[in-house]
């Protein structure tokens, strides 16, 4: 699994859809035309959505190291 994943600050999202268009993994959806939601299970951490977001509301997060 990728070390990073994208997280959307939905309070700042303007639902433009840019992040959804650039995501090659289909990991982002626009919910009810109001905000973007990322699926961390599908996300490969490429960061394209973060670069594309005009509102600067996507942050790349590091997955927590889980010891098994
Ligand atoms: S980081 Fe890449 S794979 Fe993950 S949601 Fe953004 S564009 Fe999609
Ligand atoms: S690019 Fe940014 S503002 Fe546009 S839908 Fe995605 S998260 Fe929201």
């Amino acid at each position: 699994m990728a070390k990073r994943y994208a997280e959307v600050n939905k309070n700042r999202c303007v639902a433009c859809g840019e992040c959804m268009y650039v995501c090659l993994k289909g990991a982002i959806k626009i919910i009810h035309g109001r905000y973007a939601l990322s699926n961390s299970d599908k996300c490969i951490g490429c960061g394209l959505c973060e670069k594309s977001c005009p509102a600067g509301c996507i942050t790349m997060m590091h997955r927590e190291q889980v010891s098994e």
Side-chain angles (χ1 to χ4, degrees):
M1 188 168 273
K3 290 184 180 159
R4 304 190 309 161
Y5 66 96
E7 191 166 279
V8 179
N9 178 340
K10 69 179 183 181
N11 295 320
R12 288 170 53 195
C13 175
V14 297
C16 66
E18 286 297 322
C19 55
M20 184 177 71
Y21 299 134
V22 300
C23 180
L24 301 173
K25 304 305 282 184
I28 301 186
K29 289 181 182 170
I30 304 294
I31 307 296
H32 304 309
R34 289 176 29 221
Y35 58 88
L37 184 68
S38 61
N39 179 337
S40 64
D41 290 338
K42 287 187 179 177
C43 177
I44 58 169
C46 67
L48 283 177
C49 57
E50 180 190 36
K51 292 190 180 76
S52 77
C53 177
C57 58
I58 297 182
T59 307
M60 299 306 299
M61 309 291 287
H62 288 272
R63 293 187 200 274
E64 288 182 25
Q65 301 291 319
V66 180
S67 51
E68 295 173 19

